[in-house]
Each structure stands twice: as structure tokens, then as C-alpha cells.
């Protein structure tokens, strides 16, 4: 079991799940738990979290550059245009997770996203972020895998036809996009307020 906190080579305390991996340290410090907005950015997170199901996040993180390359930087309009030829090419690409159901779900999810006005997906996703004070987890054991909010988010997305958006997957998305802040007590990021960021690189 991971320690609740781990001290990095720079002397900073971080959430224990980081371990001694340099890329995990960067991700923990620069991305995880920072508020993220934008239809494209949230679609990317949803897609990658879906691919992660059953695997470790570090596997996805290391493959993310290739995912972005072959999935047209997760620009929804471009992914929505993928057809059988692109699906077969993706199934042959060892640089990503070659799961046909997840590949086809990503394309289908992009098409659903385009049915709504620009910015609606961002508003929908963030509508499930908890409001009011929330106790910071004291240990990794206090970090939930699923919450009532992630169950509600999952149900809303499934009701619209989105796939690979289960409650546990959606809670992981809520953590990574800063909808919740699960840095444990004592982590150097726990004391650092994070401004909302956009990473949409053209939502359409």
C-alpha cells in the first residue's frame, strides 16, 4: 500500500500515489486537481479516463502524446468524423490502448458532444462539482473511489448516450480536473490555491 505522503528529491511532500516516478510528480504538481475548463479539454479527460479503466493511470499518461496525435488532439469535430478506416488504423496502433469498444465509444461520444451548443458540455460537467466546504482527506484511505456526485454525473452522461462514463471513472475525472481536491493533508499542493485554466485548443 502506498504511503499517504512521499518526499520527492526536491524535498516536497506529495500524495503517496506519486511514488518515485518523475512524470507522475509533474502530473501531480501541474495538472491533477487544478480546475480545468473547455469542451475539448474535458472531452479529452473523459476519453482518457475511459481508456484507463482496468489499467493504471501512469500507463495512459505515458501514452497520452500518441493518443493526442492519433485522436486529432481530441478536437470533437475531428474525432466525430472518424469512420471505419480510422478505427482499423487505431486498432493497429501499439502506441495507444487497442480496445475497439473504447475507440468506438470515443468517436460516438464526440458526436454526441457536437449535438450541444459550444460550452454546454463544460457547463454540464461542472454542474456536478460539489459546492460548499469539503473536508480534505487526511490519508489516502480517506479518498473515495465514487461519490453521489460522480454517480449523478455518470447517470446524466449515460442518459445522453455517452459510454465508458461509469461513476468510478467519472470520479477520477472530477479529481483530475479539479472539480474536487483530493490532495491529502500535508501534500505541498494541498496548501496551494489553483486558478482555473482552459486547455481547449479549439473546442470545435
Amino acid at each position: 500500500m502506498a504511503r499517504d505522503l512521499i518526499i520527492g528529491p526536491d524535498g516536497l511532500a506529495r500524495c503517496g500515489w506519486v511514488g518515485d516516478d518523475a512524470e507522475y510528480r509533474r502530473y501531480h504538481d501541474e495538472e491533477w486537481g487544478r480546475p480545468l475548463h473547455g469542451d475539448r479539454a474535458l472531452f479529452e479527460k473523459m476519453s482518457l479516463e475511459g481508456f484507463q479503466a482496468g489499467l493504471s493511470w501512469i500507463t495512459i499518461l505515458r501514452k497520452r502524446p500518441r493518443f493526442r496525435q492519433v485522436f486529432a488532439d481530441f478536437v470533437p469535430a475531428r474525432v466525430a468524423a472518424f469512420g471505419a478506416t480510422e478505427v482499423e488504423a487505431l486498432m493497429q496502433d501499439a502506441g495507444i490502448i487497442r480496445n475497439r469498444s473504447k475507440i468506438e465509444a470515443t468517436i460516438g461520444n464526440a458526436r454526441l458532444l457536437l449535438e450541444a451548443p459550444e460550452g454546454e458540455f463544460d457547463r454540464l460537467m461542472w454542474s456536478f462539482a460539489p459546492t460548499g466546504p469539503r473536508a480534505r482527506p487526511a490519508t489516502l484511505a480517506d479518498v473515495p473511489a465514487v461519490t453521489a456526485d460522480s454517480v449523478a454525473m455518470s447517470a446524466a452522461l449515460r442518459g445522453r448516450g455517452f459510454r465508458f462514463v461509469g461513476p468510478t471513472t467519472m470520479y477520477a475525472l472530477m479529481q483530475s480536473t479539479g472539480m474536487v481536491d483530493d490532495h491529502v493533508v500535508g501534500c505541498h499542493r494541498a496548501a496551494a490555491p489553483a486558478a482555473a485554466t482552459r486547455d481547449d485548443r479549439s473546442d470545435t
Side-chain angles (χ1 to χ4, degrees), residues 10-204:
D10 54 6
L12 294 176
R14 294 177 173 85
C15 300
W17 55 261
V18 172
D20 61 359
D21 189 282
E23 177 59 12
Y24 246 0
R25 285 196 297 272
R26 185 209 61 76
Y27 176 71
H28 170 275
D29 290 359
E30 299 177 11
E31 297 186 54
W32 196 76
R34 291 180 182 269
L36 180 66
H37 286 277
D39 288 357
R40 190 219 65 83
L42 292 172
F43 170 61
E44 177 184 323
K45 286 285 189 180
M46 181 176 71
S47 301
L48 292 178
E49 293 289 358
F51 274 104
Q52 185 271 336
L55 303 169
S56 66
W57 180 247
I58 192 61
T59 298
I60 301 300
L61 198 58
R62 289 170 178 159
K63 289 179 178 288
R64 185 169 63 174
R66 182 59 180 168
F67 267 109
R68 286 174 168 170
Q69 184 176 11
V70 299
F71 275 99
D73 209 23
F74 289 97
V75 174
R78 296 178 65 187
V79 177
F82 284 13
T85 299
E86 287 80 8
V87 170
E88 292 309 315
L90 290 166
M91 284 296 297
Q92 300 302 315
D93 196 317
I96 64 168
I97 305 302
R98 292 177 287 183
N99 181 301
R100 186 178 297 273
S101 294
K102 292 179 180 181
I103 290 170
E104 292 178 344
T106 300
I107 297 167
N109 289 347
R111 293 170 181 168
L112 289 170
L113 194 153
L114 291 181
E115 295 177 2
E118 183 177 348
E120 181 63 26
F121 186 64
D122 183 301
R123 288 188 289 273
L124 172 66
M125 300 295 274
W126 274 89
S127 72
F128 296 100
T131 58
R134 181 173 179 269
R136 180 172 299 285
T139 70
L140 292 179
D142 296 323
V143 178
V146 63
T147 64
D149 293 315
S150 73
V151 170
M153 176 187 282
S154 173
L157 290 169
R158 284 172 164 169
R160 288 165 171 78
F162 288 89
R163 291 186 287 161
F164 286 96
V165 291
T168 301
T169 299
M170 290 302 94
Y171 190 68
L173 178 146
M174 295 177 80
Q175 292 173 306
S176 67
T177 60
M179 295 180 190
V180 296
D181 180 357
D182 277 342
H183 289 285
V184 300
V185 172
C187 171
H188 82 96
R189 284 289 304 129
T197 61
R198 288 189 65 89
D199 180 26
D200 48 29
R201 280 171 274 172
S202 178
D203 282 343
T204 58

